[in-house]
Amino acid sequence: MNLSQFVESQEVYYGKNLVSADELKSIERELGISFGKELSQYVLKYGYLGYKHIELYGVNSKEMYESDMIKQTKYLHKYFPKTADYIALENTGDGNYIVVSFGDDVFEYASEDDSIHKMGMKLFNYILNRFQEVEK
């Protein structure tokens, strides 16, 4: 099963006020970082995704630069320079964040010890695995 199939077959929440490709380019300029192919598709197709108690960051056309993905990314870049090349996807608690690289690789950033670790997954696989964990 891939992410699209999971979203279609389960009660996954996603955005209704999606941004356009031009708006996404504007967001990239605002952040000074490019989105990878999967992250771009995620934002353009879903805006954000939520499933049960998991809610991932996203972007919507009503909030634009005030969307949680943008605000959290700016926050991380300002206070934690190691995150400067990443986009924030999720706060997993206790100062831990899931961030995504331009190549759509997923990393876990721990603010407490200022460490970043590659999780060995691309974005869509991470999201699918994260949502499927809730079923176990």
Side-chain angles (χ1 to χ4, degrees):
M1 175 179 291
N2 66 31
L3 180 59
S4 290
Q5 292 167 328
F6 188 89
V7 169
E8 291 171 18
S9 67
Q10 303 297 318
E11 288 186 35
V12 177
Y13 302 100
Y14 51 89
K16 303 291 185 239
N17 302 304
L18 302 176
V19 296
S20 68
D22 287 340
E23 289 170 323
L24 182 58
K25 290 289 180 205
S26 175
I27 289 166
E28 288 176 324
R29 283 191 298 276
E30 172 78 11
L31 293 174
I33 187 170
S34 295
F35 284 41
K37 184 179 176 183
E38 287 187 11
L39 186 57
S40 295
Q41 288 176 359
Y42 167 82
V43 168
L44 294 172
K45 183 173 182 177
Y46 302 115
Y48 81 97
L49 288 173
Y51 183 63
K52 301 199 176 183
H53 68 277
I54 299 168
E55 187 168 325
L56 305 177
Y57 295 142
V59 179
N60 69 71
S61 61
K62 290 192 184 231
E63 294 180 311
M64 281 296 288
Y65 302 120
E66 295 300 310
S67 297
D68 57 3
M69 180 179 279
I70 309 312
K71 286 171 55 174
Q72 281 301 131
T73 297
K74 285 181 174 181
Y75 168 82
L76 288 174
H77 290 182
K78 181 176 181 179
Y79 294 104
F80 305 102
K82 277 189 182 174
T83 66
D85 293 332
Y86 304 95
I87 303 292
L89 179 69
E90 182 181 15
N91 179 339
T92 57
D94 297 327
N96 294 330
Y97 294 87
I98 301 301
V99 295
V100 184
S101 72
F102 172 72
D104 293 312
D105 292 308
V106 176
F107 294 79
E108 182 174 29
Y109 175 72
S111 62
E112 197 167 292
D113 64 359
D114 194 32
S115 64
I116 192 158
H117 303 283
K118 191 171 187 175
M119 296 186 70
M121 284 184 262
K122 295 290 187 182
L123 177 63
F124 287 171
N125 284 337
Y126 169 79
I127 296 170
L128 180 60
N129 286 344
R130 183 85 167 97
F131 289 170
Q132 287 176 329
E133 283 176 3
V134 178
E135 298 299 314
K136 295 177 183 175

